[in-house]
């Protein structure tokens, strides 16, 4: 299959996962031309990573995942071992910038563009040592000294910088924000991330499936179900295994419970950041009830390690399903009451409305996916039918309705979260009422040398995991991709019309993952 | 205004023992009281995420929900280590956070307490081993700063966190 007449032949990935086609670019120009074509057709750059293929008699490889209306296009480009350079895609897709820099830090393959600043490497390891190369060995002795980072300087009278982080004021993940302000007005925000880089991809190299699932399930603790499902989907596609309908429906139940838990928590935090402590108390009470039932029925408050390659590690009995359906009723009633209070609270709406706006054009330019993209009016949701796109099982039969709001501000992101809570509660009731039969878990026999990609609509957005197996059937290379990669730059734009004290509220309305991006 | 007050009245005080999770609630009350009896007034905590996946942070957030009602009892999270009696640290400590963690520790006035949180922060269990020291991490919190108490778990429950805070107060 070809896309938009580009001369690259794609083949559909087998299995029950998201519609994804794989192809190979003949050279760098091929890759660049395909990227331009995707951009011209309002597509997105979803992920980019590198791998060392020298032990297989090749050089290095760049992996890029794009998205068009029909689904995802997974394109690889082989690079020579002696001079691994590929064309800079950031001129086409701004989202490529940080991913390309991270790819150099980890694998040592370079894009030919201007911005060669390190991204994940702060000074913890030598600049000429690349942890994901096969012959990297143990990390060399190296003094861990923080390095200077070249933030873009803003000149002019009265402009000054406010450095924030890496340790922030609350109970939040670490990262550095460099604000340039005049008075209180934000002129520019530049993020420096990577503080949580824990070498997860290196830990994944050589791992078996069960270890891999545990590691990928901890890329971002608030999205453990989405990552575990995307990893399982990638492994199953690689090994030609299809989980049973029961397993797929249970996965959907777990994923929707994860979505509701996160939205409940964030709706409380959003009230709190606008000085409405009542919201925090109420929503955190509901969230606690919610995760306690997770523990009671599924054995873990955040549902870690419940989704595994081949299926799921837990079942739900009739009593558990009844409790889940009953709780969905109660929570919906309470959330609707709280939404009325939020909607009618003048002080709260005064903070939410027109704050931190982004629009659909920017969302397209930054390849954003998920909740924040839907809050600008784009009906982009991997679980939902749209023109030219059919969602994978089990979503197709559930007829998921995408939430949408066209305003693009904090108020819109709040409204989308409320709408998604109600839709997830509807799905949860539907799933709890009619779980199909089938095995909980089927055996996944590794197929040496096989590769697969899993795509799941997590609560923030599109979670992608790419897996390549080695000759021994273990994981040779695995790249977990969090949607925050694309959304962090959107936050840099969202703050530009507002003042510094508004930042916490704007930030919380996105609530992006640091750990997911830093891996 | 009225709907807010109505909701507050309807919710009541959930921090009191409730029948469906009675044991948990009673345990929470006992732990809070004991911490305050020992500290005598108020305990201030600076939380430092030095490498966590954010799951530990979610459970630390939960300590402030009305069920555990931490702040309502005088135990408070503060913004600066200079205002803190205790550092609550999650891991594995990354190389990129090693320096910041040391600065936060040095900035905390003596006598200070350090509680390492989670299997990664404690360097224990299967997950702690999976996220052990490598090129990007130093592993457990105790590899970087002195630790008084460890609260394992992936992530530890809010109850386990409360017990750990209590244990740390007892070490002094």
């Amino acid at each position: 299959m070809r896309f938009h007449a580009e001369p690259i032949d794609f083949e559909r990935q087998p299995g029950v996962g998201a519609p994804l086609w794989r192809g190979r670019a003949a050279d760098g120009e091929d890759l660049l031309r395909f990227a331009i074509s995707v951009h011209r057709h309002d597509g997105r750059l979803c992920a980019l990573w590198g791998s060392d293929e020298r032990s297989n008699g090749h050089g290095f490889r760049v992996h890029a995942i794009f998205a068009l209306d029909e689904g995802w296009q997974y394109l690889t480009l082989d690079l020579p071992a002696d001079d691994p350079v590929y064309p800079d895609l950031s001129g086409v897709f701004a989202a490529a910038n940080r991913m390309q820099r991270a790819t150099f830090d980890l694998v040592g393959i370079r894009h030919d563009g201007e911005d060669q600043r390190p991204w994940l490497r702060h000074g913890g390891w030598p600049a000429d040592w690349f942890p994901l190369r096969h012959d990297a060995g143990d990390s060399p002795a190296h003094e861990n000294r923080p390095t200077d980072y070249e933030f873009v300087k803003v000149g002019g009278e009265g402009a000054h910088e406010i450095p924030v982080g890496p340790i922030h004021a609350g109970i939040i993940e670490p990262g550095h924000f460099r604000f340039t302000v005049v008075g209180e007005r934000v002129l520019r925000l530049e993020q420096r991330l990577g503080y949580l880089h824990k070498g997860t991809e290196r830990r994944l190299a050589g791992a078996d499936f069960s270890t891999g699932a545990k590691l990928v399930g901890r890329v971002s603790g608030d999205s453990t179900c989405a990552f575990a499902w995307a990893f399982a989907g990638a492994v199953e596609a690689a090994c030609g295994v299809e989980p049973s309908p029961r397993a797929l429906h249970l996965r959907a139940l777990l994923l929707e419970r994860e979505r509701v838990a996160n939205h409940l928590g964030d709706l409380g935090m959003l009230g709190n950041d606008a000085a409405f402590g009542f919201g925090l108390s109420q929503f955190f009470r509901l969230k606690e009830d919610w995760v306690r039932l997770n523990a009671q029925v599924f054995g873990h408050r955040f549902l870690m390690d419940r989704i595994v390659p081949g299926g799921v590690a837990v079942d739900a009995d009739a009593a558990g399903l009844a409790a889940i359906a009953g709780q969905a009723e109660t929570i919906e009633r309470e959330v609707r009451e709280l939404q009325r209070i939020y909607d009618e609270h003048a002080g709260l709406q005064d903070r939410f409305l027109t704050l931190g706006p982004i629009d659909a054009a920017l969302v397209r330019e930054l390849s954003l996916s998920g909740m924040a993209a839907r809050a600008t009016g784009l009906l982009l949701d991997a679980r939902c039918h749209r023109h030219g796109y059919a969602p994978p099982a089990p979503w197709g039969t559930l007829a998921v309705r995408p939430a949408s709001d066209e305003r693009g501000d904090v108020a819109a992101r709040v409204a989308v979260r409320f709408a998604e809570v109600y839709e997830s509660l509807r799905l949860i009731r539907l799933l709890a009422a009619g779980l199909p039969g089938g095995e909980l878990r089927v055996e996944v026999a590794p197929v040496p040398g096989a590769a697969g990609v899993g795509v799941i609509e997590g609560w923030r957005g599109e979670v992608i995991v790419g897996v390549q197996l080695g000759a021994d059937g273990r994981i040779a290379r695995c790249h977990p991709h969090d949607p925050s990669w694309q959304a962090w730059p959107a936050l840099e734009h969202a703050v530009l019309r507002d003042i510094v004290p508004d930042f916490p509220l704007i930030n919380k309305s996105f609530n992006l993952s640091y750990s997911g991006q830093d891996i | 205004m009225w709907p807010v007050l109505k909701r507050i009245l309807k919710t009541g005080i959930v921090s009191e023992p409730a029948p469906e999770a009675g044991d948990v609630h009673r345990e929470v009350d006992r732990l809070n009281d004991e911490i305050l009896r020992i500290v005598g007034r108020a305990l201030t905590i600076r939380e430092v995420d030095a490498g966590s996946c954010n799951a530990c942070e979610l459970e630390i957030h939960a300590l402030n929900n009305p069920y555990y009602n931490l702040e309502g009892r005088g135990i408070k999270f503060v913004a600066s280590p200079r205002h803190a009696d205790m550092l609550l640290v999650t891991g594995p400590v990354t190389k990129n956070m090693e320096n910041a963690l040391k600065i936060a520790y040095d900035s905390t006035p003596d006598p200070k307490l350090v509680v390492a949180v989670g299997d990664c922060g404690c360097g224990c269990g299967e997950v702690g081993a999976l996220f052990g020291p490598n090129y990007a991490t130093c592993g457990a919190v105790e590899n970087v700063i002195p630790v008084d108490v460890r609260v394992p778990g992936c992530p530890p429950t809010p109850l386990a966190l409360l017990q750990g805070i209590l244990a740390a107060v007892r070490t002094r």
Side-chain angles (χ1 to χ4, degrees), chain B residues 33-66:
Chain B
D33 290 346
E34 190 156 1
I35 291 171
L36 291 181
R37 191 178 57 75
I38 292 167
V39 178
R41 45 198 188 281
L43 180 73
T44 54
I45 304 173
R46 169 66 241 199
E47 198 269 348
V48 181
D49 175 344
S52 145
C53 74
N54 200 30
C56 288
E57 276 63 33
L58 295 181
E59 290 296 43
I60 295 169
H61 283 158
L63 286 174
N64 273 330
N65 78 33

Side-chain angles (χ1 to χ4, degrees), chain A residues 144 195 197 221 288-289 301, chain B residues 53 59 67-68 94 98 135:
Chain A
N144 181 17
Y195 289 92
H197 177 65
E288 180 69 17
D289 290 340
R301 284 163 60 93
Chain B
C53 74
E59 290 296 43
Y67 286 100
Y68 304 103
T94 64
E98 183 184 3
Y135 78 91

Side-chain angles (χ1 to χ4, degrees), chain A residues 289 292 296, chain B residues 17-25 67:
Chain A
D289 290 340
R292 281 185 184 182
Q296 190 189 315
Chain B
E20 72 270 24
D23 287 348
V24 173
H25 283 250
Y67 286 100

Side-chain angles (χ1 to χ4, degrees), chain A residues 205-252:
Chain A
D208 58 25
F209 292 163
S210 106
T211 306
K214 287 211 168 70
L215 284 165
V216 176
R218 283 157 182 81
V219 165
S220 178
D222 52 45
S223 302
T224 181
C225 291
F227 272 99
W229 192 350
F231 174 77
V235 166
E236 287 153 7
C239 301
V241 170
E242 292 188 6
S244 75
R246 186 175 187 83
L248 286 172
H249 281 72
L250 276 165
R251 283 178 179 180

